[in-house]
Amino acid sequence: MADKQYVMGLFRDEHQAVSAVESLTDSPFKIEKVHSPIPSHRLSHALKLKKSRVGWYTLVGGIIGFFSGFALASFTALRWELIVGGKPVVALVPFLIVGFEFTVLFAVFGNIIGFLFQADLPRFDWSTHYDERLSGDQYGILATCDPAQQEDLEDLLTEQGAEVRAFAS
Amino acid sequence: MALTFASIDQTVLDTLKPGGKNYWAMILLVFLGLMGGVACWAYQIFVGIGVAGMNNPIHWGTYLINFVFWVGIAHSGTLISAILHLFRAGWRNPIARAAETMTVFAVCTAGLFPFIHLGRVWMVYYMLPFPNQRTLWPNFQSPLMFDVVAISTYLTVSSLFWYTGMLPDLAIIRDRATGLRKKIFTVLAMGWTGEHEVWRHYIRIYLFFAALATPLVISVHSVVSWDFALGIAPGWHTTIFAPYFVAGAIHSGLAMVLTLMIPLRKIFHYEKIITVKVLEAVAKTIIFTGLIVGYAYATEFFIAWYSHNEVEISVFKWRAVGNYRVGFWIMVTCNTIAPLLFFIKKVRTSLVWLFGISILVNIGMWFERFVIIITSVGHDFIPHAWGLYAPTVIEFGIMIGAFCLFFLLYLLFVKHLPSVSMTEMKETLEEGGGHGG
């Protein structure tokens, strides 16, 4: 027999879902996941979620990008040291433009890599403990409890207005 | 009946049902147009660039006119998806996806023209940062190389922004699809479940995407303008070019948004989602960009007169009354006078007027690029080197082919992927939600 029972409460209303999160936080049950069809600031607040750190990846990407772009332009110019248009071989203004474009490109790469890494995507086990209505119009709270307390957890969720769905494991 | 989460999903998912005879007839038509363009390009590759009307002194013809035109079209997609997102303009949500898609396909179409313009297309690798057989590298001091870097960055960034923005919607389709379609969308959705741990990161990266795309889009058309402004041809060598091109790009792109949205709204019954108020907001923005463009036209003439530079004055006089005066007056009328009609509420709330004026602005903006590119090199410093240019059948064929490519991609998109962001539409119904971060 499984050592913990997964129960999901499905809500049509965001406020009910927020209230259920608050009740569960004060209960012996554990919130595993909260799903919603749109990003919800109220739910994030109730879950006390911290701000994402993904921006650091973006910043590092941008810094690497700037120096890569500038270095590429400088390296290629220094291979033959030809004077073009009376400008220095390593010309700051034109190379800053190349550096800028690379900054944006690599910052976006950093953004994407950071997102995939932090959000743990792509996921292959996404369908376990998932209900297909969650992408449509339902808010879902997946909670766990001791199998003996399943009924209590279901009652708590039902009281908050949820349609309850229990998962086999 | 008011919109609900379920009705939004249903309206958008209904658009993904298999297309009927009319849809496939349209696909066939634009495909044939595209094949015509491909045949013209193939002919040019075999015979040589001489089959185009470009000559001495006009070495830049419709290929570069179309390049600038399509890059310009792309810009308003980023304006709507990124800049208006940062400004928290809620009216952008219903049209953001369709406009972003327009950006991606317009940049793809634009990106073809430098290849076509090269003539010997197999030499394209000279533009890449890759040493050729003489170990020569590209010259990164050239604005043409800025262009290579800027356009490829723009295509990559806008494609990634488009795909990332679509992830929650791909999951909606996955959850309602069956069979092979479900498998495809399962891969595309990357295991998205709308979990809050994922939303937490998603709203941040969406914000950073918008924040990065905003300076990028301004830089891209500035760089395109420097292809001209860094040359010493009269009429090109001015500092106004970057802001002038950026405003023109957004002007043309917004017009294309109306051209695409009005039929899309009608065909897919998006009346409750893409409301007249949304189209009206686009029209109001067109008034704004039209006024900037009109101001730029006037400034160019003023500066030419004020400079006392005879060559500059001569070029601008020739634009207005010379061989290409018809193009010039089409440009002025369509881009600056026609949009003023949007000051009248009845005009900007009438679909017929909105569609008609959007077509006029599209035509006007194509002619703007014609006037800028052709009249400057055709009327240079030395009178005996002046010349005229007319596109040949081959150039027209390639141009029509490019339009067909764009519409083919767009037609395929609207039937296979969600043309309205279901998630962002739902956000407009919920006051507490949002990608807003």
Side-chain angles (χ1 to χ4, degrees), chain B residues 239-408:
Chain B
T239 49
I240 197 179
F241 255 42
Y244 166 29
F245 266 53
V246 173
I250 294 173
H251 191 49
S252 65
L254 287 171
M256 188 61 99
V257 166
L258 284 183
T259 310
L260 293 172
M261 285 316 108
I262 293 169
L264 188 76
R265 176 180 188 271
K266 175 88 185 150
I267 295 166
F268 287 151
H269 309 294
Y270 277 148
E271 285 87 353
K272 280 184 187 159
I273 292 175
I274 306 174
T275 58
V276 175
K277 265 202 173 320
V278 171
L279 300 176
E280 201 185 343
V282 178
K284 284 179 185 171
T285 321
I286 289 180
I287 299 176
F288 177 61
T289 50
L291 289 172
I292 300 176
V293 166
Y295 176 73
Y297 294 163
T299 306
E300 279 195 309
F301 273 81
F302 171 77
I303 295 294
W305 167 76
Y306 195 66
S307 69
H308 281 252
N309 181 322
E310 281 181 26
V311 179
E312 201 76 16
I313 293 169
S314 171
V315 167
F316 281 96
K317 267 190 192 163
W318 194 59
R319 279 188 187 178
V321 297
N323 301 59
Y324 297 114
R325 60 187 178 279
V326 175
F328 175 83
W329 291 107
I330 289 176
M331 164 188 112
V332 172
T333 313
C334 295
N335 294 342
T336 64
I337 298 169
L340 295 180
L341 290 171
F342 286 147
F343 271 116
I344 305 163
K345 194 172 171 73
K346 266 194 179 170
V347 172
R348 67 171 188 263
T349 49
S350 149
L351 294 182
V352 177
W353 278 100
L354 281 166
F355 190 70
I357 293 173
S358 77
I359 298 284
L360 286 181
V361 174
N362 284 322
I363 294 170
M365 286 308 296
W366 192 89
F367 272 99
E368 182 196 286
R369 279 61 181 249
F370 183 92
V371 168
I372 291 171
I373 294 174
I374 307 300
T375 62
S376 284
V377 283
H379 204 81
D380 209 332
F381 297 94
I382 312 166
H384 83 254
W386 289 349
L388 297 175
Y389 161 82
T392 61
V393 175
I394 297 296
E395 283 169 289
F396 276 117
I398 290 176
M399 187 166 95
I400 294 166
F403 273 87
C404 289
L405 169 66
F406 175 79
F407 285 110
L408 175 65

Side-chain angles (χ1 to χ4, degrees), chain B residues 95-330:
Chain B
I95 54 171
R97 171 71 45 71
E100 265 175 46
T101 311
M102 184 188 80
T103 293
V104 175
F105 295 158
V107 181
C108 290
T109 312
L112 277 178
F113 280 100
F115 289 72
I116 298 168
H117 178 78
L118 269 181
R120 292 178 294 166
V121 67
W122 53 94
M123 307 299 274
V124 72
Y125 73 96
Y126 266 52
M127 291 196 295
L128 301 174
F130 168 82
N132 61 29
Q133 62 271 32
R134 288 177 292 162
T135 69
L136 287 173
W137 292 79
N139 171 22
F140 282 104
Q141 293 188 13
S142 161
L144 301 180
M145 280 311 297
F146 302 164
D147 232 1
V148 174
V149 178
I151 298 289
S152 41
T153 299
Y154 190 37
L155 179 60
T156 313
V157 170
S158 50
S159 305
L160 287 171
F161 193 19
W162 177 69
Y163 180 66
T164 310
M166 213 159 22
L167 274 176
D169 283 4
L170 294 172
I172 298 174
I173 302 173
R174 174 201 66 198
D175 290 347
R176 280 140 196 82
T178 50
L180 178 65
R181 208 156 154 263
K182 190 175 185 85
K183 284 182 184 159
I184 293 170
F185 280 96
T186 300
V187 174
L188 291 176
M190 297 207 300
W192 181 278
T193 58
E195 196 189 319
H196 261 256
E197 181 55 22
V198 178
W199 277 125
R200 177 166 82 97
H201 303 297
Y202 182 82
I203 55 174
R204 292 302 285 173
I205 65 147
Y206 200 85
L207 186 70
F208 293 136
F209 255 122
L212 290 163
T214 300
L216 175 67
V217 73
I218 293 167
S219 85
V220 168
H221 226 60
S222 299
V223 161
V224 170
S225 84
W226 294 333
D227 289 341
F228 305 98
L230 295 189
I232 51 166
W236 283 4
H237 196 55
T238 76
T239 49
I240 197 179
F241 255 42
Y244 166 29
F245 266 53
V246 173
I250 294 173
H251 191 49
S252 65
L254 287 171
M256 188 61 99
V257 166
L258 284 183
T259 310
L260 293 172
M261 285 316 108
I262 293 169
L264 188 76
R265 176 180 188 271
K266 175 88 185 150
I267 295 166
F268 287 151
H269 309 294
Y270 277 148
E271 285 87 353
K272 280 184 187 159
I273 292 175
I274 306 174
T275 58
V276 175
K277 265 202 173 320
V278 171
L279 300 176
E280 201 185 343
V282 178
K284 284 179 185 171
T285 321
I286 289 180
I287 299 176
F288 177 61
T289 50
L291 289 172
I292 300 176
V293 166
Y295 176 73
Y297 294 163
T299 306
E300 279 195 309
F301 273 81
F302 171 77
I303 295 294
W305 167 76
Y306 195 66
S307 69
H308 281 252
N309 181 322
E310 281 181 26
V311 179
E312 201 76 16
I313 293 169
S314 171
V315 167
F316 281 96
K317 267 190 192 163
W318 194 59
R319 279 188 187 178
V321 297
N323 301 59
Y324 297 114
R325 60 187 178 279
V326 175
F328 175 83
W329 291 107
I330 289 176

